[in-house]
Amino acid sequence: MKLVFSRWIAIGLLGAAGAWAQAPAPEPATAPAPNGPPAGFVAPAEPKPDDSNAARAKSQPGNNAPFWRGVRNSGEVEGVTNIPGIEKGVLIQRFERYPGADYATAGESWRQVRNRLIIPYGGSLMLIALVAIALFYFGRGTIGHAHAEGGLRRIERFTPFERSAHWLNAIAFVLLGISGVVMAFGKFLLLPWMGHTVFGLVTYGLKTLHNFVGPLFAVSLLVIIFTFLKDNLPRAEDWTWVKKAGGMFSGHEVPSHRFNAGEKGIFWGGVFVLGLTVVASGLVLDQLVPSLAYTRGTMQVAHMFHATGAVLMMCAFFGHIYLGTIGMRGAYKAMRNGYVSEDWAQEHHALWYEDIRAGKIPAQRSGTSAPQEPMRQAREA
Ligand code: HEM
């Protein structure tokens, strides 16, 4: 029995050896090209060289898929072109994984970030912000009391310089916001009813406007930051304001200095951090930063910062614009004419008003305004 079994083993082993000798030698393992597709990446099967290629060459001349597949998998190997400029010899970028996207060629990965994250989530966030403001307006109404304005306003809240700097910045921001929203969401909101020709003209015009107003906003934003920085520095009382949400839900406004903690939050979060992010990335997109290598990668990263920063900034300034127009009585006029009544100052910025009455802060800072009626004497504390 044992003899028979070992014979079969011998026969089996011989058979296996024979089969092995037949099998083709395994391909030597090639190291993946640097920045090329990841190890284990299986290139889609080459399309059979059948008529379809010939058909494609006719219907889409130059769309030579096998050629492009080769270029894509070559890991950004630079070829020769006679187009001037950086990386013009690189037809397809390296493989990359931008946050929230697949590992794909950088252009594809960036496209996914834009179309899967920035557009849907950014758009939803802006809608949510607008709906929240509308609910607040219909729920709580305009904040503040109508104060006797009799004749000239009493306290100068914003000087002519502060107001012109503010409105120049505000107008630039609104123009950038509208043109930016059309570039990002116009395809869904305008194209369906405008048609390609008109939509193309409108977006081209707005994109050009965006590229020119951008640098203007960059300058006016810096002016705004330096102009209002001192009065936005944090103070002890700001914490009380934050804890009570400024009295926005109780109806009793919490005393604050010239700017309350909410305004300071918009200043440091909206104007300073988001504003400078949007401006810096915008200047890169406008190719206005000297000695920077404007590769596609640089532009993709700048775009992601720019679009994300702009969406968040617009959400923040929806609130600022609401309070600065219909959301708080007398606020718009303060930035329009520069003056507020004593009652307004006392209701909305009581600590600022007390400092003025105590003579620590001048009620009039610029020399250009109209004559004032005498101030009510400081109430005995
Ligand atoms: C249409 C758009 C805008 C309107 C209607 C508006 C309205 C106002 C109003 C009424 C005030 C006075 C608030 C107060 O008395 O405390 C104000 C203050 C201010 N605004 Fe605007 N604004 C607009 C856009 C902007 C933009 C785009 C920025 C900056 C990117 C900005 C930055 C400021 C700053 C820094 C102040 C001073 C208060 C503070 O520092 O917190 N505003 N705005």
Side-chain angles (χ1 to χ4, degrees):
M1 184 56 187
K2 200 160 150 259
L3 186 61
V4 175
F5 180 66
S6 53
R7 193 175 295 137
W8 281 113
I9 293 177
I11 292 167
L13 284 175
L14 278 174
W20 181 75
Q22 300 295 319
E27 294 277 327
T30 53
N35 303 327
F41 178 78
V42 180
E46 287 293 328
K48 295 196 177 41
D50 59 12
D51 288 353
S52 68
N53 256 351
R56 185 188 299 117
K58 278 210 192 73
S59 63
Q60 303 158 35
N63 177 2
N64 182 353
F67 168 76
W68 290 106
R69 210 166 285 120
V71 168
R72 182 198 57 203
N73 300 344
S74 70
E76 227 175 63
V77 169
E78 187 130 355
V80 180
T81 75
N82 51 17
I83 306 168
I86 195 168
E87 62 158 5
K88 289 295 181 289
V90 177
L91 296 175
I92 296 183
Q93 288 177 279
R94 72 178 71 207
F95 275 63
E96 193 74 80
R97 183 195 303 280
Y98 287 131
D102 299 342
Y103 185 71
T105 59
E108 171 57 21
S109 196
W110 164 76
R111 201 183 64 80
Q112 290 174 5
V113 173
R114 182 186 183 279
N115 295 351
R116 283 188 195 167
L117 295 177
I118 299 176
I119 299 288
Y121 290 99
S124 319
L125 198 62
M126 287 165 70
L127 279 179
I128 291 168
L130 289 172
V131 170
I133 290 169
L135 289 176
F136 184 80
Y137 175 65
F138 290 111
R140 174 84 168 70
T142 300
I143 295 172
H145 301 89
H147 296 287
E149 296 190 15
L152 295 168
R153 291 198 170 282
R154 320 274 297 166
I155 299 173
E156 186 177 33
R157 185 158 171 76
F158 297 107
T159 63
F161 173 79
E162 288 170 341
R163 285 180 279 136
S164 9
H166 175 269
W167 289 118
L168 183 69
N169 189 62
I171 292 165
F173 179 79
V174 170
L175 290 176
L176 291 167
I178 294 171
S179 51
V181 163
V182 169
M183 282 192 271
F185 305 100
K187 198 172 101 179
F188 314 105
L189 303 175
L190 302 179
L191 178 58
W193 57 273
M194 264 186 180
H196 286 278
T197 318
V198 178
F199 179 67
L201 284 173
V202 168
T203 32
Y204 182 76
L206 288 175
K207 183 191 79 69
T208 313
L209 178 80
H210 196 92
N211 290 351
F212 282 96
V213 175
L216 183 73
F217 179 73
V219 176
S220 63
L221 187 82
L222 289 177
V223 173
I224 282 269
I225 289 176
F226 289 111
T227 305
F228 293 111
L229 193 127
K230 188 171 75 50
D231 287 321
N232 276 289
L233 293 173
R235 298 180 70 163
E237 297 80 2
D238 294 330
W239 187 231
T240 322
W241 195 97
V242 171
K243 279 190 292 182
K244 298 183 178 165
M248 233 179 245
F249 302 104
S250 66
H252 303 294
E253 207 157 331
V254 179
S256 69
H257 288 281
R258 188 181 178 205
F259 302 130
N260 60 41
E263 288 176 301
K264 291 182 182 178
I266 291 280
F267 181 84
W268 290 110
V271 178
F272 194 83
V273 174
L274 290 174
L276 291 180
T277 306
V278 170
V279 160
S281 54
L283 292 174
V284 172
L285 292 171
D286 250 356
Q287 303 202 357
L288 289 174
V289 182
S291 67
L292 190 66
Y294 289 104
T295 63
R296 277 164 283 186
T298 312
M299 300 303 260
Q300 284 153 3
V301 171
H303 169 269
M304 291 186 275
F305 273 100
H306 192 70
T308 311
V311 163
L312 295 174
M313 195 174 175
M314 281 193 275
C315 292
F317 276 89
F318 285 158
H320 177 80
I321 296 171
Y322 163 70
L323 286 172
T325 49
I326 57 168
M328 181 186 279
R329 270 194 196 87
Y332 173 74
K333 279 208 174 123
M335 192 48 96
R336 179 85 182 74
N337 302 325
Y339 288 86
V340 292
S341 66
E342 289 183 77
D343 297 343
W344 187 95
Q346 188 163 31
E347 179 182 3
H348 298 295
H349 299 278
L351 301 175
W352 176 63
Y353 176 60
E354 285 311 320
D355 285 351
I356 290 172
R357 284 193 350 156
K360 289 186 199 152
I361 301 174
Q364 176 70 44
R365 288 179 295 135
S366 74
T368 57
S369 53
Q372 299 291 306
E373 289 169 26
M375 283 280 290
R376 242 181 299 163
Q377 294 312 311
R379 205 176 303 117
E380 303 308 313

